[in-house]
Amino acid sequence: MHARLFALLALLAALLSGCDRDAVFERLIPKEEARQAQLYVAQIAARDYAALTEAMAPELKTPDLDQRLQTMSRMLPPGPPTSVKTVGANTLKAGAVTTYTITLEYEYPNTHLLAAVTLERHDDRLVLKGITFVPRTQSLEEENRFKLDGKGPLHYLVLALAVAVPLFVLYALVLCARTKFLRRKWLWLLFVAVGFVQFQFNWSTGDWGVIPLSVLLLGSGFATSGPYAPWIFTIALPVGAIVFLLRRPSLQRPAA
């Protein structure tokens, strides 16, 4: 029952932020480069290797290029895709050179395919630096959707802590604000409000990591970098809240 309540709270917060998140993601996609990336994949599907080779960087034009392109063509299912989405975009500018990595998701009747296309723009000339195909059994949106089905005890523990830690910090923060201190009350309020040492948990894969030198407001948070990215839950140790509750009797101003 409690796990379902936590999940509903998390989903509500995700829905409230979803529209802004999607709009920001769309603005970050370089439209011209994304269209060009789709064109290159279409040329592989049509086996138009001559046009594709003309757009390639010189270092890619090796003797076995035709063989590699034929292998990639065979990775594409027959027939046109039912949908094409730009699910990732990364832009890196170094001096006069801008490198784009565009990730496209192709949906077919029985399978999915990710295409990572790397482009480089120099002096207004766009050069193809590489294409990689990765077959998949489901879409990224479905794989990274927030859900409880198939999740283990660690997922439920993270979900419980994501709700319990900020509630505990808020309780200590309100108590700290109402406590009559001898001195430096504002420093204690700041100390109580944040958590230290972040533990990050990938909801889709179950992977986790630690950021030792870090602080987090209210000791908990969760976010995703885009509509197709996994949800990352972040939990921090409420050290300030714990220390304050233990030391509160000695910090209070004596009664008159």
Side-chain angles (χ1 to χ4, degrees), residues 128-167:
L128 175 62
K129 298 289 289 185
I131 300 180
T132 304
F133 289 165
V134 180
R136 300 182 65 86
T137 57
Q138 60 179 341
S139 67
L140 281 181
E141 187 174 14
E142 175 62 25
E143 178 180 322
N144 293 323
R145 181 171 59 87
F146 182 84
K147 53 189 175 182
L148 294 177
D149 298 342
K151 303 305 180 183
L154 183 57
H155 286 78
Y156 287 97
L157 175 62
V158 169
L159 195 58
L161 289 175
V163 177
V165 169
L167 290 178

Side-chain angles (χ1 to χ4, degrees), residues 35-46:
R35 286 193 296 268
Q36 198 65 37
Q38 291 187 32
L39 174 62
Y40 293 147
V41 176
Q43 288 173 346
I44 293 179

